[in-house]
Amino acid sequence: MRKPIIAGNWKMNKTVKKAVEFVKEMVETMNDCPDMEIVVFPPFTALHAVANVVRDTNILFGAQNMYYESAGAYTGEISPLMLADIGVHFVILGHSERREILGETNEIINLKMKAALNYRMKPILCVGEKLEEREKGKAEDVIHSQLVRNLQDISKDEMARTVIAYEPLWAIGTGKTASPEDANKMHAFIRGTIISLYDKRVASMVRIQYGGSVRPDNIGILMAQPEIDGALVGGASLDVESFVKIARYTL
Ligand code: PGA
């Protein structure tokens, strides 16, 4: 049985003060939380402060990005060594905003995947198609190629620790969600691809999250799908009440 994983990607939002207030409230409200993982992704500036609040609680935390080298002359970058140093559990890699706005290629994402796994962090690898690719019937081809290129030279053990987030670009921040059935179909395709690249045992361990306009009112029907193991939530994770409602989804 795969453990559900609900993650809040705050993107470029929240000061240190707001981030700390948020996680303090989360820790209090979710201390009885069932057998699941709840992860927040603050901006880099708030990571250390958040780490201090959530230590020894059931709230996990992660980084929204990182560079693939451990140290050196890379002005403005944050390394996996620095993230591991403050106890980061997860790192989001290949988010479509980084692919589209910041020009990250599949090859760069692959280097970052290897670096994160080397430092024992769990990557959440984001894949997703654009609207025109879906309309042309190319959605599966796009996802397949992202997976093959982003997962190159990742071992079976490393793959089993990886989380995949299926985030169709047309659903991110638009209020449009993939129908639960369409999302489930793509998740099944992703799991099938992992079987072909690895094997059934590994594929059965990999958690696949859905992302794109997840809200308190649609989390239940999404999580009811057999292939959906969690959600990567953007906008609706910024407000603590809304994120708690999502984390406490009931089937
Ligand atoms: P959204 O973002 O929930 O605001 O659509 C999801 C994401 O980008 O991870």
Side-chain angles (χ1 to χ4, degrees), residues 38-237:
I38 300 166
V39 196
V40 291
F41 289 88
F44 284 126
T45 46
L47 266 184
H48 196 210
V50 164
N52 288 336
V53 177
V54 302
R55 187 169 299 121
D56 301 324
T57 75
N58 56 0
I59 306 295
L60 302 169
F61 72 106
Q64 299 173 19
N65 176 42
M66 57 164 226
Y67 196 57
Y68 52 83
E69 296 287 358
S70 302
Y74 304 101
T75 302
E77 293 296 321
I78 302 280
S79 86
L81 171 69
M82 294 166 178
L83 296 181
D85 184 43
I86 58 162
V88 161
H89 309 104
F90 287 90
V91 57
I92 298 176
L93 296 176
H95 191 281
S96 61
E97 284 149 18
R98 297 211 59 88
R99 292 179 193 258
E100 296 300 311
I101 306 171
L102 293 144
E104 274 190 24
T105 61
N106 283 309
E107 290 63 39
I108 291 175
I109 296 160
N110 177 240
L111 290 171
K112 292 184 174 190
M113 287 288 295
K114 289 185 213 165
L117 287 158
N118 264 339
Y119 278 91
R120 309 297 301 171
M121 286 181 283
K122 293 182 183 171
I124 295 188
L125 171 65
C126 302
V127 294
E129 82 285 358
K130 296 179 190 155
L131 184 58
E132 61 266 30
E133 292 165 337
R134 173 157 284 257
E135 285 171 348
K136 282 187 195 147
K138 293 209 170 348
E140 289 188 351
D141 291 350
V142 170
I143 305 296
H144 188 268
S145 144
Q146 286 173 344
L147 289 171
V148 170
R149 294 164 78 184
N150 298 162
L151 297 174
Q152 209 178 326
D153 300 323
I154 302 294
S155 71
K156 284 187 183 181
D157 282 355
E158 290 171 335
M159 188 63 220
R161 287 192 275 129
T162 296
V163 177
I164 307 274
Y166 168 56
E167 299 207 306
L169 270 66
W170 45 270
I172 297 180
T174 57
K176 281 190 211 154
T177 324
S179 74
E181 295 73 23
D182 282 351
N184 192 60
K185 207 169 142 220
M186 188 57 93
H187 283 219
F189 174 77
I190 292 171
R191 204 171 306 282
T193 305
I194 299 169
I195 294 176
S196 69
L197 296 175
Y198 295 88
D199 58 35
K200 271 197 172 157
R201 187 190 65 86
V202 171
S204 73
M205 290 164 78
V206 172
R207 291 174 297 172
I208 308 176
Q209 298 178 301
Y210 169 79
S213 298
V214 173
R215 298 178 302 269
D217 64 336
N218 60 20
I219 182 75
I221 45 166
L222 288 162
M223 291 302 290
Q225 298 292 322
E227 292 292 345
I228 301 186
D229 305 313
L232 181 54
V233 189
S237 75

